[in-house]
Amino acid sequence: DTAVSQTPKYLVTQMGNDKSIKCEQNLGHDTMYWYKQDSKKFLKIMFSYNNKELIINETVPNRFSPKSPDKAHLNLHINSLELGDSAVYFCASSTFGGAAYNEQFFGPGTRLTVL
Amino acid sequence: DQQVKQNSPSLSVQEGRISILNCDYTNSMFDYFLWYKKYPAEGPTFLISISSIKDKNEDGRFTVFLNKSAKHLSLHIVPSQPGDSAVYFCAAAAGAGGTSYGKLTFGQGTILTVHP
């Protein structure tokens, strides 16, 4: 029944490792997003995909690579993890166009801790 | 450069009274504004929105007011209930007609606590 789901919920790893976070939505939306919530609690957009095509790519290190195998999935792969990558990562989805873009549905978040 | 700011980290209100959460923005290109509510260990949930062509939008107990000249918006919750206790995020977008492509700029949130 979960509309937007993320796995894993918690991720603890060592510096230098590579990890992935998966996101799936069953709302029939065609646009998906990744946000990062840092220690100051600001939610900042990282990427957005519409129908598997990248449409927003904020200033994010290229160690972060999103992958969208289909419009219901948007995964986030992070290479060579650094301490500063520790944060909560939220996936979200929305429908295409107009104000509906902005009314986004969020997953529960993945808390990443890099040691 | 924080384009959306919520200057009150927390707000405490008695049940039944009004809660007023405030948000300021600096980017004149913003033309669509939203409030999201977040419970612990959950993702944000969309609450209410307002386009810059309006100055007020109401949905049940929730009303959002927009003052474009002051670049200020507020969320009023009347009457407040203990279940409203959560973190409230203000967000803004430039291009309500779709040109924003869903790029939201969020404030840092205000923790609302409603006491029984």
Side-chain angles (χ1 to χ4, degrees):
Chain A
D1 285 318
T2 305
V4 183
S5 59
Q6 296 179 226
T7 52
K9 195 165 176 65
Y10 299 96
L11 187 52
V12 181
T13 188
Q14 300 286 330
M15 269 198 316
N17 284 350
D18 303 338
K19 290 293 177 186
S20 292
I21 306 172
K22 295 185 177 181
C23 178
E24 177 180 3
Q25 55 92 5
N26 62 6
L27 296 167
H29 291 162
D30 49 18
T31 307
M32 296 184 72
Y33 312 82
W34 277 110
Y35 286 85
K36 178 181 180 181
Q37 185 179 32
D38 59 23
S39 57
K40 294 183 179 177
K41 304 301 181 188
F42 283 98
L43 270 160
K44 293 184 180 177
I45 192 165
M46 301 171 68
F47 302 103
S48 169
Y49 270 75
N50 175 257
N51 276 322
K52 303 193 293 175
E53 183 177 341
L54 183 66
I55 56 172
I56 295 175
N57 186 352
E58 289 297 288
T59 309
V60 175
N62 58 16
R63 298 181 295 103
F64 290 79
S65 54
K67 295 275 192 306
S68 182
D70 55 61
K71 69 178 188 179
H73 296 83
L74 181 62
N75 304 322
L76 184 65
H77 189 75
I78 315 170
N79 289 329
S80 304
L81 278 155
E82 300 178 356
L83 293 176
D85 298 333
S86 295
V88 181
Y89 292 84
F90 288 97
C91 177
S93 70
S94 71
T95 55
F96 174 82
Y101 257 135
N102 303 314
E103 294 167 16
Q104 298 170 15
F105 292 74
F106 283 78
T110 296
R111 182 174 294 276
L112 171 65
T113 304
V114 182
L115 303 174
Chain B
D1 175 30
Q2 302 304 336
Q3 299 182 60
V4 178
K5 296 181 184 178
Q6 294 174 253
N7 292 317
S8 298
S10 62
L11 175 67
S12 184
V13 169
Q14 205 68 29
E15 182 178 6
R17 307 295 291 265
I18 185 171
S19 296
I20 300 176
L21 298 108
N22 294 303
C23 178
D24 297 296
Y25 62 96
T26 57
N27 189 339
S28 301
M29 299 300 291
F30 289 147
D31 59 2
Y32 199 80
F33 304 90
L34 307 94
W35 285 93
Y36 280 82
K37 175 178 173 179
K38 184 183 179 304
Y39 292 118
E42 295 183 11
T45 303
F46 168 71
L47 191 57
I48 192 169
S49 61
I50 188 167
S51 164
S52 61
I53 63 173
K54 295 184 177 181
D55 53 21
K56 175 183 173 181
N57 189 26
E58 195 171 350
D59 183 2
R61 296 186 298 114
F62 302 92
T63 302
V64 56
F65 294 92
L66 175 62
N67 183 334
K68 289 186 290 293
S69 60
K71 293 191 175 69
H72 177 85
L73 65 154
S74 61
L75 175 68
H76 292 210
I77 307 173
V78 182
S80 302
Q81 298 172 355
D84 296 329
S85 297
V87 180
Y88 288 79
F89 288 97
C90 170
T99 57
S100 71
Y101 296 111
K103 180 180 173 181
L104 296 180
T105 302
F106 281 86
Q108 68 271 51
T110 297
I111 302 170
L112 173 65
T113 304
V114 181
H115 298 282

